[in-house]
Amino acid sequence: MTTQLRLAHTAALDPSELLAVRALLDEAFDGDFSDADWDHGLGGMHVLIRDEDGIAAHGALVMRRVRHRGRWLRTGYVEAVAVRADVRRTGLGGRVMAELEGLADRAYDLGALAASEDGAPLYTARGWQRWPGQVHALSPDGIVRLREDEGGVYVRPALAGPLDPGGELVFDWRDGDVT
C-alpha cells in the first residue's frame, strides 16, 4: 500500500478534502461525530494520509488555552483522529500522531486531548499521560468542574515542562464538548 502524508492548515484544504475528512470521521465514529466536534477540529493544522482509495487517516491540532497553577498555557489540542476501517492497525494512526506530536512539542507549552476507552491505548503507548487531577472549564458563568471528563483527559508536557498532578486543568470554553 502506497500512502502520501500531507500536513496543511484548515485554510489550505479545499472543500472536497474537507468533505472527505468529515465523511471519514462520521464513519469512524459510527455517526456520533457532531457538528460541534467537527468545528473543534477546524482552524489548526491537519495531517491527512491518502492511499489509492482516498483519505485513509486524519488528525488535527488546534490551539487552545489551558490554565494550570495560575498560568495560561498555549495548548496544542488533538482533535478528529480517525483511520479508515479497512486500514486500521497498520500504523497510520501512529503516523498521524507522530506528526501532531512534533508540532505540539515544538510550538506549544502543552499537548492535550480527550480520549475514549478505545482510543486511549494509542495515546498511552505513545507516552501521553492520563491527567489524574481535576478538570474544569472557564464557562460563560465562571469556572465549572467537568467531573464527567476526568479520567479521559491526556496530556503531553511540551515547552511548559512537567505539570503538577495535584493542580487542576482549566480549559477555555467552547460550544459542544468542552474537553
Side-chain angles (χ1 to χ4, degrees):
M1 169 176 64
T2 302
T3 61
Q4 294 179 328
L5 186 143
R6 179 173 177 216
L7 180 63
H9 190 275
T10 300
L13 300 177
D14 67 46
S16 66
E17 287 176 304
L18 289 169
L19 286 172
V21 169
R22 177 65 194 256
L24 169 68
L25 293 164
D26 286 337
E27 180 182 317
F29 286 91
D30 295 322
D32 192 26
F33 195 81
S34 71
D35 289 342
D37 294 328
W38 174 243
D39 188 60
H40 297 166
L42 300 176
M45 297 300 292
H46 297 260
V47 176
L48 296 95
I49 298 179
R50 295 179 184 278
D51 64 12
E52 54 278 352
D53 294 324
I55 296 179
H58 172 269
L61 190 72
V62 298
M63 211 275 304
R64 296 191 65 190
R65 296 279 181 181
V66 174
R67 190 182 77 185
H68 180 67
R69 300 201 65 177
R71 181 175 165 219
W72 285 98
L73 303 172
R74 278 183 352 277
T75 302
Y77 201 85
V78 175
E79 291 284 1
V81 175
V83 177
R84 206 175 60 226
D86 65 316
V87 290
R88 288 187 187 140
R89 308 266 186 253
T90 63
L92 296 182
R95 285 180 61 194
V96 166
M97 287 306 299
E99 292 292 322
L100 298 176
E101 290 161 357
L103 290 171
D105 291 350
R106 292 186 309 272
Y108 294 96
D109 297 319
L110 174 68
L113 58 85
S116 65
E117 284 185 37
D118 290 339
L122 169 66
Y123 307 119
T124 57
R126 301 189 58 78
W128 289 78
Q129 303 160 2
R130 189 180 65 79
W131 180 251
Q134 292 183 7
V135 176
H136 296 77
L138 180 57
S139 79
D141 298 320
I143 294 177
V144 295
R145 187 163 177 192
L146 304 173
R147 286 180 180 10
E148 66 280 0
D149 294 329
E150 292 175 357
V153 172
Y154 291 76
V155 296
R156 180 182 179 90
L159 299 174
L163 302 175
D164 176 5
E168 64 185 11
L169 297 180
V170 180
F171 286 86
D172 55 359
W173 187 258
R174 59 188 188 171
D175 292 332
D177 297 330
V178 177
T179 63

PDB file of all heavy atoms in Angstrom, residues 9 16 22 28-29 31 43 51 69 75 81 86 90 103 107 110 153 174 176 178:
ATOM      1  N   HIS A   9      -2.765  23.511   6.958  1.00  0.00           N
ATOM      2  CA  HIS A   9      -3.710  24.272   7.768  1.00  0.00           C
ATOM      3  C   HIS A   9      -5.100  24.127   7.161  1.00  0.00           C
ATOM      4  O   HIS A   9      -5.236  23.890   5.953  1.00  0.00           O
ATOM      5  CB  HIS A   9      -3.291  25.754   7.789  1.00  0.00           C
ATOM      6  CG  HIS A   9      -4.061  26.541   8.791  1.00  0.00           C
ATOM      7  ND1 HIS A   9      -5.289  27.089   8.519  1.00  0.00           N
ATOM      8  CD2 HIS A   9      -3.773  26.858  10.074  1.00  0.00           C
ATOM      9  CE1 HIS A   9      -5.735  27.718   9.593  1.00  0.00           C
ATOM     10  NE2 HIS A   9      -4.834  27.589  10.553  1.00  0.00           N
ATOM     11  N   SER A  16     -13.456  19.800  -1.221  1.00  0.00           N
ATOM     12  CA  SER A  16     -13.597  18.351  -1.417  1.00  0.00           C
ATOM     13  C   SER A  16     -12.797  17.577  -0.362  1.00  0.00           C
ATOM     14  O   SER A  16     -13.234  16.516   0.092  1.00  0.00           O
ATOM     15  CB  SER A  16     -13.184  17.942  -2.827  1.00  0.00           C
ATOM     16  OG  SER A  16     -11.798  18.153  -3.034  1.00  0.00           O
ATOM     17  N   ARG A  22     -14.601  14.875   6.710  1.00  0.00           N
ATOM     18  CA  ARG A  22     -15.833  14.772   7.510  1.00  0.00           C
ATOM     19  C   ARG A  22     -16.487  13.410   7.317  1.00  0.00           C
ATOM     20  O   ARG A  22     -16.963  12.797   8.273  1.00  0.00           O
ATOM     21  CB  ARG A  22     -16.799  15.911   7.160  1.00  0.00           C
ATOM     22  CG  ARG A  22     -18.139  15.854   7.897  1.00  0.00           C
ATOM     23  CD  ARG A  22     -17.955  16.039   9.406  1.00  0.00           C
ATOM     24  NE  ARG A  22     -19.121  15.669  10.161  1.00  0.00           N
ATOM     25  CZ  ARG A  22     -19.967  16.527  10.699  1.00  0.00           C
ATOM     26  NH1 ARG A  22     -19.795  17.825  10.568  1.00  0.00           N
ATOM     27  NH2 ARG A  22     -20.987  16.086  11.407  1.00  0.00           N
ATOM     28  N   ALA A  28     -15.956   6.678  10.997  1.00  0.00           N
ATOM     29  CA  ALA A  28     -15.114   6.144  12.076  1.00  0.00           C
ATOM     30  C   ALA A  28     -15.791   6.231  13.439  1.00  0.00           C
ATOM     31  O   ALA A  28     -15.578   5.375  14.298  1.00  0.00           O
ATOM     32  CB  ALA A  28     -13.780   6.884  12.105  1.00  0.00           C
ATOM     33  N   PHE A  29     -16.604   7.259  13.637  1.00  0.00           N
ATOM     34  CA  PHE A  29     -17.279   7.441  14.920  1.00  0.00           C
ATOM     35  C   PHE A  29     -18.724   6.934  14.877  1.00  0.00           C
ATOM     36  O   PHE A  29     -19.533   7.295  15.725  1.00  0.00           O
ATOM     37  CB  PHE A  29     -17.220   8.915  15.346  1.00  0.00           C
ATOM     38  CG  PHE A  29     -15.854   9.334  15.822  1.00  0.00           C
ATOM     39  CD1 PHE A  29     -14.932   9.872  14.920  1.00  0.00           C
ATOM     40  CD2 PHE A  29     -15.469   9.174  17.138  1.00  0.00           C
ATOM     41  CE1 PHE A  29     -13.670  10.247  15.344  1.00  0.00           C
ATOM     42  CE2 PHE A  29     -14.209   9.547  17.562  1.00  0.00           C
ATOM     43  CZ  PHE A  29     -13.298  10.085  16.671  1.00  0.00           C
ATOM     44  N   GLY A  31     -21.338   7.644  13.229  1.00  0.00           N
ATOM     45  CA  GLY A  31     -22.370   8.656  13.228  1.00  0.00           C
ATOM     46  C   GLY A  31     -22.441   9.499  14.490  1.00  0.00           C
ATOM     47  O   GLY A  31     -23.310  10.349  14.630  1.00  0.00           O
ATOM     48  N   GLY A  43      -9.449  25.104  11.969  1.00  0.00           N
ATOM     49  CA  GLY A  43      -8.697  26.286  12.350  1.00  0.00           C
ATOM     50  C   GLY A  43      -7.269  26.016  12.782  1.00  0.00           C
ATOM     51  O   GLY A  43      -6.579  26.916  13.231  1.00  0.00           O
ATOM     52  N   ASP A  51      -4.313   7.096   0.472  1.00  0.00           N
ATOM     53  CA  ASP A  51      -3.875   5.919  -0.280  1.00  0.00           C
ATOM     54  C   ASP A  51      -4.676   5.886  -1.579  1.00  0.00           C
ATOM     55  O   ASP A  51      -5.359   6.864  -1.907  1.00  0.00           O
ATOM     56  CB  ASP A  51      -4.009   4.634   0.548  1.00  0.00           C
ATOM     57  CG  ASP A  51      -5.445   4.278   0.912  1.00  0.00           C
ATOM     58  OD1 ASP A  51      -6.399   4.882   0.355  1.00  0.00           O
ATOM     59  OD2 ASP A  51      -5.632   3.379   1.748  1.00  0.00           O
ATOM     60  N   ARG A  69      -1.900  25.934  37.509  1.00  0.00           N
ATOM     61  CA  ARG A  69      -1.116  26.610  38.555  1.00  0.00           C
ATOM     62  C   ARG A  69      -0.988  28.115  38.277  1.00  0.00           C
ATOM     63  O   ARG A  69       0.091  28.682  38.381  1.00  0.00           O
ATOM     64  CB  ARG A  69       0.239  25.957  38.703  1.00  0.00           C
ATOM     65  CG  ARG A  69       0.099  24.476  39.083  1.00  0.00           C
ATOM     66  CD  ARG A  69       1.310  23.952  39.689  1.00  0.00           C
ATOM     67  NE  ARG A  69       1.508  24.655  40.966  1.00  0.00           N
ATOM     68  CZ  ARG A  69       2.470  24.397  41.806  1.00  0.00           C
ATOM     69  NH1 ARG A  69       3.326  23.464  41.525  1.00  0.00           N
ATOM     70  NH2 ARG A  69       2.595  25.078  42.912  1.00  0.00           N
ATOM     71  N   THR A  75      -1.854  25.594  24.273  1.00  0.00           N
ATOM     72  CA  THR A  75      -2.013  24.146  24.225  1.00  0.00           C
ATOM     73  C   THR A  75      -2.349  23.686  22.820  1.00  0.00           C
ATOM     74  O   THR A  75      -3.295  24.168  22.207  1.00  0.00           O
ATOM     75  CB  THR A  75      -3.117  23.715  25.213  1.00  0.00           C
ATOM     76  OG1 THR A  75      -2.742  24.156  26.524  1.00  0.00           O
ATOM     77  CG2 THR A  75      -3.302  22.212  25.212  1.00  0.00           C
ATOM     78  N   VAL A  81      -9.136  12.541  15.289  1.00  0.00           N
ATOM     79  CA  VAL A  81      -8.222  11.481  14.848  1.00  0.00           C
ATOM     80  C   VAL A  81      -9.060  10.279  14.426  1.00  0.00           C
ATOM     81  O   VAL A  81      -9.906   9.805  15.188  1.00  0.00           O
ATOM     82  CB  VAL A  81      -7.239  11.082  15.967  1.00  0.00           C
ATOM     83  CG1 VAL A  81      -6.388   9.891  15.540  1.00  0.00           C
ATOM     84  CG2 VAL A  81      -6.371  12.264  16.357  1.00  0.00           C
ATOM     85  N   ASP A  86     -10.803  -0.133   6.879  1.00  0.00           N
ATOM     86  CA  ASP A  86     -10.065  -1.183   6.165  1.00  0.00           C
ATOM     87  C   ASP A  86      -8.552  -1.097   6.329  1.00  0.00           C
ATOM     88  O   ASP A  86      -7.841  -2.026   5.940  1.00  0.00           O
ATOM     89  CB  ASP A  86     -10.426  -1.179   4.677  1.00  0.00           C
ATOM     90  CG  ASP A  86     -10.001   0.098   3.971  1.00  0.00           C
ATOM     91  OD1 ASP A  86     -10.202   1.190   4.528  1.00  0.00           O
ATOM     92  OD2 ASP A  86      -9.465  -0.002   2.849  1.00  0.00           O
ATOM     93  N   THR A  90      -2.609  -0.662  10.996  1.00  0.00           N
ATOM     94  CA  THR A  90      -1.485  -0.746  10.052  1.00  0.00           C
ATOM     95  C   THR A  90      -0.446   0.339  10.314  1.00  0.00           C
ATOM     96  O   THR A  90       0.463   0.523   9.504  1.00  0.00           O
ATOM     97  CB  THR A  90      -1.975  -0.633   8.586  1.00  0.00           C
ATOM     98  OG1 THR A  90      -2.575   0.648   8.393  1.00  0.00           O
ATOM     99  CG2 THR A  90      -2.963  -1.738   8.243  1.00  0.00           C
ATOM    100  N   LEU A 103       4.492  18.797  16.107  1.00  0.00           N
ATOM    101  CA  LEU A 103       4.003  20.175  16.123  1.00  0.00           C
ATOM    102  C   LEU A 103       3.786  20.655  17.558  1.00  0.00           C
ATOM    103  O   LEU A 103       4.204  21.757  17.919  1.00  0.00           O
ATOM    104  CB  LEU A 103       2.684  20.289  15.356  1.00  0.00           C
ATOM    105  CG  LEU A 103       2.736  20.121  13.850  1.00  0.00           C
ATOM    106  CD1 LEU A 103       1.323  20.034  13.283  1.00  0.00           C
ATOM    107  CD2 LEU A 103       3.518  21.250  13.205  1.00  0.00           C
ATOM    108  N   ALA A 107       5.810  23.835  19.192  1.00  0.00           N
ATOM    109  CA  ALA A 107       5.092  25.102  19.093  1.00  0.00           C
ATOM    110  C   ALA A 107       4.204  25.436  20.294  1.00  0.00           C
ATOM    111  O   ALA A 107       3.703  26.551  20.364  1.00  0.00           O
ATOM    112  CB  ALA A 107       4.235  25.108  17.827  1.00  0.00           C
ATOM    113  N   LEU A 110       2.002  22.868  25.919  1.00  0.00           N
ATOM    114  CA  LEU A 110       1.387  21.632  26.378  1.00  0.00           C
ATOM    115  C   LEU A 110       0.648  20.987  25.217  1.00  0.00           C
ATOM    116  O   LEU A 110       0.101  21.677  24.363  1.00  0.00           O
ATOM    117  CB  LEU A 110       0.382  21.986  27.498  1.00  0.00           C
ATOM    118  CG  LEU A 110      -0.506  20.901  28.077  1.00  0.00           C
ATOM    119  CD1 LEU A 110       0.330  19.890  28.854  1.00  0.00           C
ATOM    120  CD2 LEU A 110      -1.548  21.528  28.999  1.00  0.00           C
ATOM    121  N   VAL A 153      -8.880  12.747  30.066  1.00  0.00           N
ATOM    122  CA  VAL A 153      -8.016  13.789  29.513  1.00  0.00           C
ATOM    123  C   VAL A 153      -6.572  13.313  29.603  1.00  0.00           C
ATOM    124  O   VAL A 153      -6.137  12.788  30.641  1.00  0.00           O
ATOM    125  CB  VAL A 153      -8.199  15.122  30.278  1.00  0.00           C
ATOM    126  CG1 VAL A 153      -7.174  16.156  29.829  1.00  0.00           C
ATOM    127  CG2 VAL A 153      -9.619  15.647  30.080  1.00  0.00           C
ATOM    128  N   ARG A 174     -15.714  26.270  24.910  1.00  0.00           N
ATOM    129  CA  ARG A 174     -16.128  26.142  23.516  1.00  0.00           C
ATOM    130  C   ARG A 174     -17.490  25.448  23.514  1.00  0.00           C
ATOM    131  O   ARG A 174     -17.827  24.730  24.452  1.00  0.00           O
ATOM    132  CB  ARG A 174     -15.117  25.390  22.683  1.00  0.00           C
ATOM    133  CG  ARG A 174     -14.845  23.981  23.167  1.00  0.00           C
ATOM    134  CD  ARG A 174     -13.707  23.371  22.417  1.00  0.00           C
ATOM    135  NE  ARG A 174     -13.579  21.962  22.756  1.00  0.00           N
ATOM    136  CZ  ARG A 174     -12.778  21.132  22.139  1.00  0.00           C
ATOM    137  NH1 ARG A 174     -12.034  21.568  21.145  1.00  0.00           N
ATOM    138  NH2 ARG A 174     -12.707  19.867  22.494  1.00  0.00           N
ATOM    139  N   GLY A 176     -20.429  22.798  22.585  1.00  0.00           N
ATOM    140  CA  GLY A 176     -20.359  21.346  22.495  1.00  0.00           C
ATOM    141  C   GLY A 176     -19.510  20.816  23.628  1.00  0.00           C
ATOM    142  O   GLY A 176     -19.451  21.396  24.707  1.00  0.00           O
ATOM    143  N   VAL A 178     -16.562  20.416  25.964  1.00  0.00           N
ATOM    144  CA  VAL A 178     -15.510  21.377  26.282  1.00  0.00           C
ATOM    145  C   VAL A 178     -14.143  20.728  26.137  1.00  0.00           C
ATOM    146  O   VAL A 178     -13.230  21.306  25.567  1.00  0.00           O
ATOM    147  CB  VAL A 178     -15.699  21.966  27.694  1.00  0.00           C
ATOM    148  CG1 VAL A 178     -14.557  22.898  28.049  1.00  0.00           C
ATOM    149  CG2 VAL A 178     -17.024  22.708  27.762  1.00  0.00           C
TER     150      VAL A 178
END
